[in-house]
Amino acid sequence: MTSEAGAEAEPAQTDHRLGFLSLERELPAVDLPVEGSFPAWLSGSLIRVGPAKFEVGTHRYRHWFDGLAMLHRFSFSAGTVSYRNRFVDSPAYRAARDTGRIAYSEFATDPCRSMFRRFVTVFRTPVNGRNTNVNVDRFGDEFLAMSETPLPVMFDPQTLSTLGVGEPAPGQLTVAHPHRLPGSTELISYATHLSAATHYQLYGRAVGDTHQRMIATLPAPRPSYMHSFAVADHFAVLVEFPLVTVPMTIPLSGRPFIENYRWRPERGTRFLVVDLETGRFEGGYRTEPFFAFHHINAFARDGDLVIDVCAYDNADIVRALYLDRLRAEDARVPEATPRRYVLPAGGGEVRTERLGELTMELPRIDYDRRNGRPYRFVYGVGSREPGDFPNQLVKTDVERRESAAWSRPGTYPGEPVFVRTPGDEREDGGVLLSIVLDPSAGTSFLLVLDAAELTEVARAWVPHRIPFGLHGQHFPAVSAPND
Ligand SMILES: [Fe+2]
């Protein structure tokens, strides 16, 4: 169930569609020309991952989330910037390179294997293409690239070479957005274990531990597609959107993974709260149907739990991200709004509030200090006008409910990663790092914005355009290599 590559005209290279074309070139570390001044204190590396190759031989991946994973690294030293990029050397990538075919199932692309093979793949063996194109993280000395399949890939942050696989998640599906609470090394995540008794398995592992800690098991006969989850103080919150599947039908459906999920608004959305210390299920709350990929943050307030998300009214966004739609001249992508859900202590009706006037996706906060705690500022991408492809960076003050934006006509910024200025105690005392596509220049640049003022500090031009990626992290200890 791949698409045949045809004689379709390449998109005009003057708009966002340039960000959905494949990038084949891998560069060794190169120094980048800089406009403005990169802060002298900015060191370490920004490492990002995203889909970069959307065709294999005569076949095409169908969805943005299917593309073959590529790592990009920007390293900073005394005001200079170097860049390197490399494909993740995964089974999916090797099969594509060596055989010219799509050999593994992805989010919305399926190589049409036999029913038996599908069954074995989905329910028994965590064999997968390890096309880890969603997010990166660090666990002790391991640098991990992750997707929603259970095996993360370890890579060398200096060379970006693929080293092997990390510890598998306890299920067939997981998330590429694990959590870490301030002051703790434990990486907390959840997996969906598909079986006749399908359940969500919350688990964690701290650096130095030899085994995963199984925190809680929650029955899920109709599991939801959940791209992320939240932690609030010492609670985990799974937000079960009504985009659900019937697990036992997946192997026989003949459909790619995500097309086994259906929007069932009559179910509403359910918040499942688990105490991370005891594993106790604290209860469920139900509210109106909505969908989200990303949580902004969550925290406890006077016994209530506050859950902030980038919310859509329904799951149409999943379909809007098929490549044929994204590459259409009149592509319209549904917009998310920053929304707050308050779960009252002891039960009761969930309260909903809009946090800001501007649309927002790919939200980031001062994670190391604020995750799971009260906070004030969130940064993300949004649209200047309704219907625009995301074309501005947005900052929202969730206390004052005020928003500000940065944009330059004709450019398309990606996820802004917050890096704190050493010694600056303000929550927004730092910079935002975002890869911006500039179609008129036919290339991308790394933008540095002052996070407090949302003004441009500097930019570094990359020798090629970088396809729109998903997520990245700043790693202070990954120094600029000498390669
Ligand atoms: Fe994500």
Side-chain angles (χ1 to χ4, degrees):
M1 204 174 288
T2 58
S3 301
E4 288 286 340
E8 192 178 304
E10 287 228 319
Q13 300 196 350
T14 56
D15 61 24
H16 73 275
R17 290 175 291 178
L18 197 64
F20 295 108
L21 298 186
S22 295
L23 171 65
E24 303 280 354
R25 183 163 72 160
E26 297 174 295
L27 287 172
V30 292
D31 290 331
L32 301 185
V34 168
E35 286 178 30
S37 297
F38 271 67
W41 59 262
L42 182 62
S43 60
S45 296
L46 172 73
I47 301 180
R48 300 191 55 82
V49 72
K53 184 174 168 61
F54 301 103
E55 302 83 26
V56 176
T58 59
H59 290 85
R60 293 180 177 206
Y61 288 110
R62 303 171 68 224
H63 197 279
W64 181 32
F65 296 170
D66 292 337
L68 292 171
M70 179 181 273
L71 291 160
H72 306 266
R73 188 199 62 225
F74 295 85
S75 296
F76 312 104
S77 177
T80 66
V81 187
S82 71
Y83 168 78
R84 177 168 199 161
N85 68 313
R86 197 162 186 168
F87 279 106
V88 173
D89 189 16
S90 63
Y93 175 72
R94 285 197 296 277
R97 182 191 60 197
D98 298 341
T99 70
R101 66 191 184 89
I102 293 172
Y104 293 90
S105 297
E106 300 295 345
F107 183 79
T109 299
D110 195 312
C112 299
R113 290 163 305 179
S114 69
M115 288 301 175
F116 175 74
R117 182 93 192 274
R118 289 173 58 85
F119 187 87
V120 168
T121 301
V122 176
F123 283 108
R124 298 254 176 95
T125 319
V127 170
N128 64 66
R130 303 200 289 277
N131 182 27
T132 49
N133 62 11
V134 182
N135 200 359
V136 293
D137 206 343
R138 180 176 185 168
F139 181 73
D141 293 331
E142 296 175 359
F143 287 82
L144 303 170
M146 301 172 290
S147 67
E148 292 173 343
T149 55
L151 276 173
V153 164
M154 293 190 292
F155 65 91
D156 181 328
Q158 300 284 329
T159 64
L160 301 184
S161 58
T162 301
L163 300 177
V165 295
E167 187 169 43
Q172 296 89 340
L173 305 168
T174 186
V175 283
H177 291 283
H179 275 296
R180 193 182 275 109
L181 287 168
S184 168
T185 68
E186 188 177 41
L187 212 52
I188 297 160
S189 192
Y190 91 92
T192 303
H193 189 275
L194 298 166
S195 67
T198 293
H199 55 269
Y200 306 130
Q201 181 66 55
L202 262 171
Y203 66 103
R205 189 180 166 198
V207 173
D209 285 357
T210 53
H211 295 92
Q212 291 170 337
R213 176 171 77 100
M214 294 301 153
I215 299 169
T217 302
L218 305 174
R222 297 287 179 272
S224 166
Y225 175 70
M226 296 182 284
H227 178 82
S228 62
F229 68 106
V231 293
D233 196 53
H234 63 287
F235 298 102
V237 184
L238 301 187
V239 183
E240 210 181 24
F241 313 109
L243 183 63
V244 296
T245 190
V246 181
M248 295 310 287
T249 65
I250 294 177
L252 302 174
S253 76
R255 290 189 292 268
F257 163 71
I258 195 59
E259 293 176 12
N260 292 286
Y261 286 76
R262 292 283 177 270
W263 181 245
R264 298 282 186 238
E266 69 278 5
R267 297 172 66 94
T269 294
R270 209 157 62 110
F271 296 81
L272 308 175
V273 180
V274 173
D275 186 319
L276 286 169
E277 291 168 0
T278 65
R280 202 174 98 108
F281 176 59
E282 297 290 332
Y285 294 78
R286 200 178 292 275
T287 188
E288 84 272 13
F290 72 95
F291 178 75
F293 285 120
H294 295 117
H295 289 263
I296 297 171
N297 198 9
F299 55 92
R301 184 179 65 189
D302 302 329
D304 298 345
L305 290 183
V306 177
I307 319 292
D308 294 347
V309 297
C310 290
Y312 300 89
D313 290 336
N314 54 51
D316 288 354
I317 181 65
V318 176
R319 296 208 65 79
L321 298 180
Y322 278 79
L323 290 163
D324 58 351
R325 294 196 181 198
L326 290 169
R327 289 166 171 166
E329 199 164 352
D330 58 347
R332 286 181 72 92
V333 178
E335 289 145 5
T337 54
R339 208 179 285 169
R340 172 163 290 177
Y341 292 87
V342 180
L343 316 184
E349 195 168 328
V350 176
R351 299 195 303 276
T352 309
E353 307 160 15
R354 183 163 175 159
L355 291 173
E357 287 307 307
L358 300 180
T359 61
M360 181 181 285
E361 248 298 359
L362 300 174
R364 298 297 296 245
I365 60 169
D366 178 9
Y367 187 88
D368 289 345
R369 293 188 298 178
R370 303 290 173 172
N371 185 42
R373 304 282 187 266
Y375 75 111
R376 187 169 162 197
F377 298 115
V378 53
Y379 317 92
V381 302
S383 302
R384 292 169 62 186
E385 302 290 339
D388 281 357
F389 193 81
N391 54 2
Q392 66 180 0
L393 291 170
V394 175
K395 174 185 180 182
T396 292
D397 179 335
V398 301
E399 285 183 4
R400 295 186 179 172
R401 309 289 163 98
E402 294 171 354
S403 298
W406 176 95
S407 66
R408 289 295 177 272
T411 67
Y412 301 91
E415 178 194 52
V417 174
F418 176 79
V419 184
R420 185 162 65 97
T421 306
D424 195 328
E425 293 307 313
R426 296 174 301 163
E427 185 179 324
D428 57 356
V431 296
L432 300 174
L433 303 177
S434 168
I435 296 176
V436 182
L437 177 70
D438 184 346
S440 64
T443 189
S444 301
F445 59 87
L446 180 70
L447 173 71
V448 184
L449 283 188
D450 181 302
E453 303 297 331
L454 230 54
T455 51
E456 180 169 342
V457 174
R459 60 176 73 179
W461 289 93
V462 180
H464 51 221
R465 55 172 180 76
I466 297 177
F468 291 127
L470 291 160
H471 303 289
Q473 310 294 340
H474 177 254
F475 298 103
V478 177
S479 59
N482 295 317
D483 47 0

